[in-house]
Amino acid sequence: MFSNTLGFFLSKKNKQSQNLLKEKAIKLKEQFIIPKKDVKELRDLFIQEYDCEPYHYEKDTTFYKILSFNALHCVNNEKLNIPVEKMDFKIYKMIDIEKYKSNDDMPTYVAFEMNTGYIDSNCNRLFLKLMVEKGINQENIDNFDNLFCEYLEYLVEYNEIVN
């Protein structure tokens, strides 16, 4: 969602945007969840907290192709470079949760790719909540890297939705 803007924010030519992002980081520092949870831990917490069931899909569907394309090009996979063939999606369908309605005609789902750490949902509120709960490592904060900038943008967006 926000990774297209990361290059803009991190551009050495764009000091004003970098400073704005640093100001956001200072304001939201108390909300950072450190250290970052791995995707299995986050998925297990999700299953415990929400009424959901496994969502079955075919690998030749547009749904799967879009998920795998997005996971292949996500910020988490920049260094890992895990190919689609090695991806392991665990997808869950939400059951009767009014607060987390999907943005389309599909059932509300959450997808966890177990090797890249990619997470997706067709419910923005749920997606942002999970991305914030995932947390961030201190090393990413110290380096002000793409993962931290992405986390910060998710945290800002989530705060706008819940407040």
Side-chain angles (χ1 to χ4, degrees):
M1 180 184 297
F2 297 104
S3 58
N4 292 340
T5 61
L6 288 178
F8 174 76
F9 281 119
L10 295 176
S11 166
K12 300 221 185 272
K13 296 176 185 175
N14 198 340
K15 291 288 184 192
Q16 184 179 9
S17 293
Q18 285 181 341
N19 289 337
L20 288 172
L21 213 50
K22 287 178 182 179
E23 287 174 21
K24 288 179 186 180
I26 292 166
K27 288 178 186 175
L28 298 171
K29 185 177 181 177
E30 297 300 314
Q31 295 180 39
F32 296 169
I33 297 173
I34 303 169
K36 182 178 179 178
K37 295 174 184 72
D38 71 17
V39 71
K40 183 184 180 322
E41 180 183 2
L42 189 63
R43 184 204 58 185
D44 292 347
L45 290 170
F46 168 78
I47 292 170
Q48 290 173 6
E49 186 175 338
Y50 296 98
D51 192 12
C52 62
E53 63 186 15
Y55 184 69
H56 300 285
Y57 60 93
E58 299 295 324
K59 289 191 174 188
D60 63 346
T61 62
T62 302
F63 173 72
Y64 178 78
K65 289 175 184 175
I66 291 170
L67 276 180
S68 57
F69 178 86
N70 289 342
L72 181 67
H73 299 287
C74 73
V75 173
N76 292 354
N77 203 26
E78 284 179 353
K79 291 181 182 173
L80 298 172
N81 205 21
I82 295 172
V84 171
E85 302 78 37
K86 301 235 179 189
M87 291 185 183
D88 177 23
F89 285 96
K90 305 296 183 197
I91 304 174
Y92 300 90
K93 178 175 78 170
M94 305 299 287
I95 301 171
D96 195 35
I97 297 185
E98 193 67 28
K99 186 176 180 181
Y100 296 105
K101 283 189 172 181
S102 72
N103 304 325
D104 52 33
D105 292 334
M106 285 183 67
T108 301
Y109 71 86
V110 176
F112 299 91
E113 200 294 306
M114 305 309 286
N115 297 316
T116 62
Y118 175 75
I119 298 170
D120 190 30
S121 177
N122 59 344
C123 174
N124 197 44
R125 181 185 185 102
L126 185 55
F127 170 77
L128 291 169
K129 185 176 193 304
L130 288 168
M131 294 307 289
V132 169
E133 286 180 4
K134 184 177 176 180
I136 191 73
N137 288 325
Q138 187 63 49
E139 177 184 350
N140 302 113
I141 296 169
D142 294 343
N143 293 331
F144 213 84
D145 64 12
N146 284 358
L147 289 172
F148 175 62
C149 291
E150 180 182 62
Y151 180 77
L152 185 57
E153 287 298 320
Y154 290 140
L155 185 57
V156 167
E157 185 79 14
Y158 184 69
N159 277 313
E160 288 175 6
I161 288 174
V162 297
N163 293 329

